[in-house]
Amino acid sequence: MNRRTFVKTAGIGGAATLVGVGLFGDRAAAASDTSFTATNPEISTSDGTISSVYIAPTGTVEWHNFDESVERLRISFDSKVDGGQFETVVDETLALPKGDDTRGQSGKFDYQDVTDRITLYSGAKANRFEQDADGEEKSTPVSVRVRITLLNAAGEKADPAAKASLSATATFEIVVGNKGASATASGAANPGIEA
């Protein structure tokens, strides 16, 4: 399966980028257990600027003993900066691949095989994370929420619907440093004498 057919994201360019890696796992339907974790990425640049903040999500969805076959998966990623509102970055639905126990009343699907690096903030939106002060660091909290819905062949929540929706949030700190500037000078007088 082509990764790009599942998640369509903007290209990421520039030398200064950040990554927050997420992990989603545990049993999905039977107990509706959900976890989503993230690390705190750090970067230092000569002027405290960055080009983007992104995630590279990995994880597994697993379900057991549904009353009907789970045929599709809807997955969304939302993000917000501390104090703001969640904004949806990715919202995609895919048909689960046939075979290998990825469809049915019980099944398992590793979604890192189809998700790609997802840009949360770039361009002017990445400016809020930058540190202008020379030799200083800036730490900004970011929350990322994953929402997963197990769907039947008709694209509706699989039965039992109460167990078909999963959601979890991870919060991490974006730490951007502005490398302290320095300057030195050296020289020699090289005195001489002539007769």
Side-chain angles (χ1 to χ4, degrees):
M1 178 179 296
N2 188 323
R3 292 171 157 221
R4 300 282 179 191
T5 61
F6 178 63
V7 176
K8 302 176 185 79
T9 60
I12 300 172
T17 57
L18 300 178
V19 61
V21 178
L23 173 67
F24 175 84
D26 290 327
R27 294 190 316 262
S32 295
D33 295 331
T34 308
S35 68
F36 194 55
T37 63
T39 58
N40 296 328
E42 298 184 17
I43 193 169
S44 291
T45 63
S46 60
D47 59 359
T49 63
I50 62 170
S51 63
S52 66
V53 176
Y54 66 88
I55 59 173
T58 61
T60 300
V61 183
E62 188 172 354
W63 61 96
H64 300 280
N65 305 318
F66 267 67
D67 296 342
E68 63 180 328
S69 178
V70 174
E71 300 287 323
R72 301 175 186 221
L73 183 87
R74 181 178 180 183
I75 186 166
S76 301
F77 291 96
D78 314 311
S79 68
K80 70 174 183 175
V81 179
D82 189 41
Q85 299 292 321
F86 275 112
E87 295 181 10
T88 300
V89 182
V90 168
D91 186 356
E92 295 286 337
T93 300
L94 79 148
L96 293 172
K98 294 180 180 179
D100 299 328
D101 300 322
T102 56
R103 289 187 182 185
Q105 292 172 293
S106 296
K108 180 179 179 181
F109 181 70
D110 295 326
Y111 66 73
Q112 63 264 29
D113 294 334
V114 291
T115 54
D116 206 345
R117 191 164 74 170
I118 299 169
T119 301
L120 302 178
Y121 306 99
S122 63
K125 289 185 177 181
N127 293 344
R128 72 181 80 186
F129 303 101
E130 297 179 348
Q131 173 56 272
D132 295 330
D134 191 64
E136 301 292 332
E137 280 189 348
K138 180 178 180 181
S139 181
T140 308
V142 174
S143 295
V144 175
R145 178 176 63 192
V146 61
R147 293 176 290 145
I148 294 178
T149 307
L150 303 174
L151 306 173
N152 60 21
E156 300 170 344
K157 284 185 181 180
D159 189 26
K163 299 291 185 179
S165 294
L166 306 163
S167 178
T169 302
T171 300
F172 51 94
E173 299 281 332
I174 298 294
V175 181
V176 178
N178 186 326
K179 294 179 181 178
S182 62
T184 61
S186 62
N190 301 312
I193 189 169
E194 291 182 350

